[in-house]
Amino acid sequence: MNAYTKAGPGHRATGHGGSNEARNLHWLLSNLVDEVPGVHAVAVVSSDGLLLLASDPGLAAQRTGEQREGPRGSSADLATIVSGLGALTTGAARLMDAGGVKQTMVAMDEGSLFVMSISDGSLLGVHATPDCDMSVVAYHMALFVGRAGHVLTPELRSELRKSMERDQ
């Protein structure tokens, strides 16, 4: 097992396998969940709202001893929320003539949600604990975007979509 296919302790990225670029993105995503305290789940969503890559929130919950059941913890739900929030903030930025949206953060009583734009119009979404260090989460998201943005080609997006469809 090389560094690009290794997932951290108790964590697994869904939709894995394929090309070196796909394995690299899976490794980066797994590393984000495993290395950043408070992160529950991560999803990469295409510009048209399709889930490309996701952590397995069930395994992240096992790590922290949480009991998560049903669709509230699913990657598909996180992808839907990330896509919707991305569309909402993009529309707001257009109405305000404020340029592109770089990052959105929502603080809730029982959690935090971060959405960051990736260069191709895709979005990176992170669900974290309410007491996470927001600057640390944002920093690691920016690292992911910087490393992943240039490799998220149309070919790789297609490969990731097909891989996610096989896993479901």
Side-chain angles (χ1 to χ4, degrees):
M1 183 180 292
N2 66 37
Y4 293 110
T5 58
K6 181 181 177 191
H11 180 265
R12 166 177 87 78
T14 58
H16 43 293
S19 68
N20 284 337
E21 292 85 2
R23 288 193 308 273
N24 187 22
L25 284 180
H26 290 286
W27 180 81
L28 288 171
L29 182 128
S30 294
N31 198 43
L32 178 62
V33 175
D34 290 334
E35 299 298 321
V36 181
V39 171
H40 287 303
V42 180
V44 176
V45 182
S46 68
S47 59
D48 54 358
L50 297 174
L51 181 62
L52 297 177
L53 190 64
S55 65
D56 184 338
L59 290 176
Q62 285 175 2
R63 248 193 3 239
T64 61
E66 291 181 47
Q67 294 298 318
R68 287 256 163 139
E69 294 181 13
R72 287 185 51 182
S74 77
S75 299
D77 286 345
L78 179 58
T80 300
I81 294 164
V82 166
S83 181
L85 188 58
L88 179 65
T89 55
T90 298
R94 280 191 198 122
L95 285 173
M96 293 181 212
D97 202 21
V101 177
K102 296 178 182 178
Q103 181 177 356
T104 303
M105 199 280 296
V106 179
M108 301 166 279
D109 288 340
E110 300 299 324
S112 300
L113 176 65
F114 302 83
V115 178
M116 189 173 284
S117 298
I118 300 176
S119 62
D120 68 337
S122 298
L123 300 168
L124 171 64
V126 173
H127 173 221
T129 61
D131 60 346
C132 69
D133 186 332
M134 294 177 191
S135 62
V136 171
V137 173
Y139 172 76
H140 283 277
M141 289 177 71
L143 288 177
F144 181 95
V145 167
R147 293 173 180 156
H150 69 281
V151 299
L152 214 48
T153 62
E155 295 82 15
L156 183 55
R157 286 192 304 270
S158 177
E159 177 185 342
L160 292 170
R161 280 187 196 135
K162 289 175 186 172
S163 178
M164 289 301 295
E165 289 169 3
R166 281 192 307 267
D167 283 353
Q168 293 179 6

